[in-house]
Amino acid sequence: QRALLISSHFDSAIGSPAAMDANAEIGIMVELLRLYAHDPPPTDIVFNFNGGEEMIMPAAHGFITTHRWASDLCAVVNLESAGAGGRETVFQAGPKNRWILETYAARVARPHGNSVIQAFFQLGVIPGDTDYRIYRDFGDLPGVDFVITSNDWVYHTTQDDLRHADFRTVQRYGEAALELSAGL
């Protein structure tokens, strides 16, 4: 297993333009792809631009359970959003992923995480899900799940548009994803 999976979804909630959930994350992935094409990392990277995250995550499930590259994966970095700005936060990592969190803390200029959100997710207090769970549960992949949550009032609404997007957030989010993925 020698490949890192970087993933986000391009679908959106019905009626939402999806500027931040999750077209900003798709843009980050395209930029990472461009950067790595010019300066390849020592580890192979698989980019999964997937659909259906808003509807029971069939694309992530199909990829991790049937794609021939799935058996080559050693970890996942999942990019998510539940708002239109603020700090990118590691909100799910799991108890067996200390090495990833240590890499994150060492490589990312401004690391930020919150284990309370993970606990709320696992207890069902926060009614939601991300592709990260699919990769973790069906692919047995360690990894991290990033999210941005400020200005959450735009999440899954018609207001998730470019007028409400914080491009400083997208820049910082992209830098964190680059720094972490380069370190893994």
Side-chain angles (χ1 to χ4, degrees):
Q1 294 178 334
R2 297 178 309 219
L4 172 66
L5 174 63
I6 300 176
S7 181
S8 192
H9 64 96
F10 54 78
D11 65 315
S12 66
I14 294 172
S16 174
M20 296 301 285
D21 181 34
N23 285 320
E25 290 76 12
I26 293 296
I28 289 168
M29 288 174 57
V30 169
E31 179 64 5
L32 292 174
L33 185 58
R34 185 190 71 79
L35 291 169
Y36 285 138
H38 293 288
D39 187 15
T43 302
D44 292 339
I45 298 181
V46 174
F47 290 88
N48 189 19
F49 299 83
N50 73 78
E53 190 270 352
E54 302 295 353
M55 303 181 81
I56 71 167
M57 298 160 283
H61 184 269
F63 176 81
I64 202 63
T65 59
T66 65
H67 199 283
R68 63 185 173 100
W69 293 346
S71 63
D72 296 329
L73 300 173
C74 63
V76 60
V77 174
N78 191 59
L79 308 177
E80 253 305 334
S81 175
R87 297 279 309 266
E88 73 292 336
T89 302
V90 170
F91 77 107
Q92 294 191 90
K96 299 177 187 174
N97 303 342
R98 184 180 180 116
W99 63 275
I100 294 174
L101 295 175
E102 289 171 349
T103 302
Y104 174 66
R107 295 294 301 248
V108 175
R110 294 173 302 278
H112 184 65
N114 190 329
S115 61
V116 172
I117 298 173
Q118 178 170 319
F120 284 166
F121 250 77
Q122 291 174 347
L123 292 171
V125 175
I126 298 175
D129 209 352
T130 73
D131 290 324
Y132 171 81
R133 181 187 62 80
I134 300 298
Y135 299 130
R136 181 195 67 208
D137 294 356
F138 293 92
D140 198 30
L141 278 182
V144 292
D145 202 3
F146 280 101
V147 70
I148 56 172
T149 58
S150 292
N151 301 327
D152 62 338
W153 58 273
V154 307
Y155 178 60
H156 285 179
T157 72
T158 59
Q159 302 299 306
D160 185 6
D161 56 22
L162 292 178
R163 286 181 305 130
H164 297 98
D166 184 344
F167 294 101
R168 298 167 300 178
T169 292
V170 178
Q171 181 66 40
R172 283 190 311 267
Y173 198 172
E175 290 168 0
L178 175 63
E179 291 163 353
L180 174 60
S181 62
L184 295 173

